């Protein structure tokens, strides 16, 4: 029979859920055949969209019941996807990247050779010239890093400069810099530290060049999340050392000019949590914060952290940023069409290791105060404002600890 697909049928499919599972193999065969057919002449955008929605929904329903079936989907879909990629069917590429991300994110085993064979092609500059490809391609590369960072590090280390080249291209764009940070954060979170060692300083230099040349609120917010994620992953001392290796006293400048005055602008629960845990590390695990020129920044940084916890988010944007140029991209552009059923789950890189950042701050301050008795209460009592001090007392009570 011919498979007619409309929006309402995709919706009905969604409502049926588990009842559909026994029929999915048949449906997938038909959907795949239909996909191969329409990829030769993709002239009906709505039909195409719902076709890919149905593929995503089939994957979700079946793999929810049995995650190992992801392999059979890959066997059915990869030949068609390969043909679409080889023939550069531009209208379909953003959809293909989303379905592949969904499949890869479901994987529990090591990344398969069929994915690794595809990896170098995803770094080709031409793919990144089309704005419609950027969000789904970044997500797909994030999935590669989450599931296969060790494989990339051992089997394709020569591709890491290409991966960082993509980051550098995205960071240079005011429209796409946040996507560059998504990619960079995944690199920092998942890549083995010894592999990243040779690239870390250059990454920071690229970010500082962009800060100097065209600082925007959007960029600063993403930069703050990255800096704190780096501190969480590699430690506060490593963060201080990499800043000061670029330029003496730079760590202090970043804290004073960016972290303290701008952290209130960070939005999103996970982003705020990353900043809170990162700043807590700087306050309590970085010796230079206690006995160098940087000590004068300790209380302002603590004050800024308590502000991040308790004050409303600062969503103000300077007047000169309301009209950020979207880069002119010549030629055909597929608008990015987000597939509802390919939706990505939110990811917390810190996870359950810190469930309550306020209590975590109190516990870490207590530990610091036992290591240098008298110092912490003295710094707090002389410089922290009364309201912040009150909040801090409530954190200490909640954690059942006190400062000594």
């Amino acid at each position: 029979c011919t498979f007619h697909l409309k929006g309402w049928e995709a919706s009905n499919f969604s409502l049926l859920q588990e009842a559909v599972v026994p029929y999915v193999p048949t449906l997938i065969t038909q959907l795949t055949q239909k996909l191969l057919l329409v990829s030769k002449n993709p002239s009906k955008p709505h039909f195409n969209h719902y076709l890919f929605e149905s593929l995503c929904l089939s994957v979700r329903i079946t793999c929810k019941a049995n995650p190992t079936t992801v392999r059979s989907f890959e066997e059915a879909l990869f030949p068609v996807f390969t043909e679409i990629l080889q023939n550069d069917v531009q209208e379909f590429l953003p959809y293909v990247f989303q379905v592949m991300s969904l499949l890869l994110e479901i994987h529990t085993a090591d990344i398969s050779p069929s994915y690794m064979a595809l990896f170098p092609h995803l770094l080709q500059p031409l793919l990144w010239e089309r704005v419609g490809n950027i969000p789904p391609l970044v997500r797909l590369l994030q999935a590669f890093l989450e599931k296969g960072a060790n494989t990339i590090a051992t089997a394709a280390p020569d591709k890491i400069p290409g991966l960082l080249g993509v980051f550098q291209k995205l960071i240079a764009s005011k429209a796409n810099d946040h996507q560059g940070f998504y990619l960079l954060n995944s690199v920092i979170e998942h890549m083995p530290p010894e592999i990243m060692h040779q690239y870390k300083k250059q990454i920071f230099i690229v970010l500082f060049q962009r800060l100097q040349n065209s600082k925007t609120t959007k960029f600063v917010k993403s930069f703050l999340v990255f800096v704190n994620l780096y501190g969480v992953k590699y430690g506060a001392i490593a963060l201080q050392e990499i800043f000061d290796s670029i330029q003496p006293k730079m760590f202090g400048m970043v804290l004073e000019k960016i972290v303290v005055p701008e952290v209130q602008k960070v939005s999103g629960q996970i982003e705020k949590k990353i900043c809170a845990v990162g700043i807590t590390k700087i306050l309590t695990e970085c010796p230079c914060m206690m006995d160098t020129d940087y000590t004068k920044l300790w209380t302002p940084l603590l004050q800024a952290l308590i502000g991040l916890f308790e004050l409303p988010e600062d969503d103000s944007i300077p007047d000169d940023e309301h009209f950020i140029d979207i880069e002119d991209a010549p030629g055909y552009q597929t608008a990015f069409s987000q597939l509802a059923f390919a939706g990505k789950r939110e990811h917390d890189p810190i996870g359950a290791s810190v469930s309550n950042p306020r209590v975590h701050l109190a516990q870490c301050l207590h530990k610091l105060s036992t290591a240098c008795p008298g110092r912490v209460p003295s710094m707090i009592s002389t410089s922290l404002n009364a309201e912040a001090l009150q909040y801090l007392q409530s954190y200490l009570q909640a954690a059942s600890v006190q400062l000594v």
Side-chain angles (χ1 to χ4, degrees):
C1 67
T2 308
F3 191 85
H4 295 288
L5 193 67
K6 296 283 187 290
W8 62 269
E9 287 181 335
S11 305
N12 286 347
F13 198 4
S14 169
L15 294 170
L16 289 168
Q17 294 282 340
E18 279 75 17
V20 176
V21 170
Y23 308 103
V24 165
T26 310
L27 284 168
I28 283 297
T29 304
Q30 298 224 2
L31 286 168
T32 309
Q33 288 169 354
K34 184 67 76 176
L35 180 57
L36 198 54
L37 196 65
V38 296
S39 69
K40 306 280 192 276
N41 180 24
S43 56
K44 297 177 181 172
H46 287 95
F47 179 90
N48 299 338
H49 187 93
Y50 288 122
L51 182 57
F52 279 99
E53 287 284 23
S54 297
L55 280 173
C56 289
L57 192 52
S58 305
V59 171
R60 276 198 185 283
I61 292 171
T62 314
C63 293
K64 184 180 170 187
N66 180 4
T68 58
T69 53
V70 70
R71 296 271 185 219
S72 51
F73 280 104
E74 288 165 351
E75 285 166 15
L77 293 170
F78 261 53
V80 189
F81 287 173
T82 303
E83 193 160 324
I84 290 168
L85 288 166
Q86 284 174 344
N87 295 330
D88 194 27
V89 185
Q90 293 182 27
E91 297 89 333
F92 279 10
L93 292 183
Y95 292 128
V96 167
F97 298 143
Q98 286 177 84
V99 180
M100 290 186 78
S101 299
L102 181 62
L103 292 168
L104 192 46
E105 286 159 5
I106 290 167
H107 261 281
T108 50
D110 284 346
I111 198 163
S112 66
S114 53
Y115 280 103
M116 284 308 295
L118 180 72
F119 182 66
H121 301 288
L122 302 178
L123 305 176
Q124 289 176 354
L126 179 65
L127 284 178
W128 295 91
E129 294 299 326
R130 301 174 193 148
V131 290
N133 286 346
I134 289 172
L137 259 180
V138 166
R139 177 183 171 187
L140 183 52
L141 288 181
Q142 284 184 287
F144 266 91
L145 288 161
E146 185 189 341
K147 301 295 181 178
N150 288 323
T151 308
I152 293 168
T154 51
D158 57 320
K159 298 294 176 281
I160 295 171
L163 188 64
L164 294 173
V166 169
F167 144 74
Q168 195 165 352
K169 177 181 170 57
L170 294 172
I171 284 294
S173 152
K174 286 181 183 175
N176 296 314
D177 49 17
H178 62 294
Q179 295 285 349
F181 276 111
Y182 293 160
L183 185 57
L184 180 59
N185 290 347
S186 289
V187 168
I188 292 301
E189 184 185 352
H190 298 295
M191 270 291 182
E194 64 277 8
I195 288 289
M196 290 310 299
H197 182 73
Q198 61 182 304
Y199 303 111
K200 287 189 287 197
K201 190 170 178 178
Q202 187 55 39
I203 288 169
F204 276 87
I205 289 169
V206 166
L207 295 176
F208 278 120
Q209 284 170 342
R210 169 63 209 275
L211 264 177
Q212 285 177 323
N213 297 334
S214 53
K215 176 183 166 188
T216 64
T217 302
K218 175 168 163 265
F219 183 88
V220 167
K221 285 164 67 171
S222 296
F223 177 78
L224 284 167
V225 174
F226 162 72
V227 165
N228 283 295
L229 181 65
Y230 187 97
V232 170
K233 173 78 178 179
Y234 292 114
I237 295 172
L239 183 66
Q240 175 254 317
E241 285 175 347
I242 197 158
F243 278 131
D244 288 348
S245 73
I246 295 168
Q247 188 183 317
K249 309 287 184 196
M250 185 175 257
F251 182 59
M253 284 188 277
V254 170
L255 293 181
E256 187 178 3
K257 307 285 189 199
I258 300 174
V259 180
V260 171
E262 305 278 16
V263 76
Q264 204 60 40
K265 289 190 163 79
V266 173
S267 52
Q269 284 307 111
I270 290 173
E271 289 81 357
K272 287 181 177 181
K273 181 180 177 182
I274 291 167
C275 288
V277 176
I279 291 171
T280 298
K281 276 187 174 289
I282 294 169
L283 287 167
T284 62
E285 296 178 19
C286 193
C288 70
M289 291 298 289
M290 297 300 283
D291 51 19
T292 68
D293 288 351
Y294 295 152
T295 308
K296 66 180 185 292
L297 297 168
W298 192 91
T299 315
L301 187 60
L302 177 60
Q303 178 96 31
L305 176 53
I306 295 169
L308 179 67
F309 287 143
E310 307 302 342
L311 296 176
E313 181 189 315
D314 175 6
D315 56 4
S316 60
I317 294 175
D319 291 341
D320 59 350
E321 282 183 38
H322 284 292
F323 302 101
I324 288 178
D325 294 331
I326 302 298
E327 281 75 4
D328 290 324
Y332 173 83
Q333 295 292 348
T334 312
F336 172 55
S337 298
Q338 173 72 56
L339 294 168
F341 293 115
K344 186 183 181 186
R345 56 179 167 67
E346 218 174 18
H347 170 64
D348 177 359
I350 293 167
S353 64
V354 176
S355 57
N356 184 331
R358 291 173 175 86
V359 168
H360 176 68
L361 169 64
Q363 290 166 336
C364 293
L365 286 173
H366 167 70
K367 189 176 171 188
L368 176 67
S369 78
T370 57
C372 44
R375 287 286 307 279
V376 177
S378 162
M379 288 196 293
I380 287 170
S381 61
T382 52
S383 311
L384 205 62
N385 76 28
E387 195 181 5
L389 190 55
Q390 220 171 353
Y391 281 122
L392 183 58
Q393 294 296 351
S394 70
Y395 308 161
L396 293 164
Q397 281 174 349
S400 304
V401 295
Q402 51 190 354
L403 303 177
V404 296

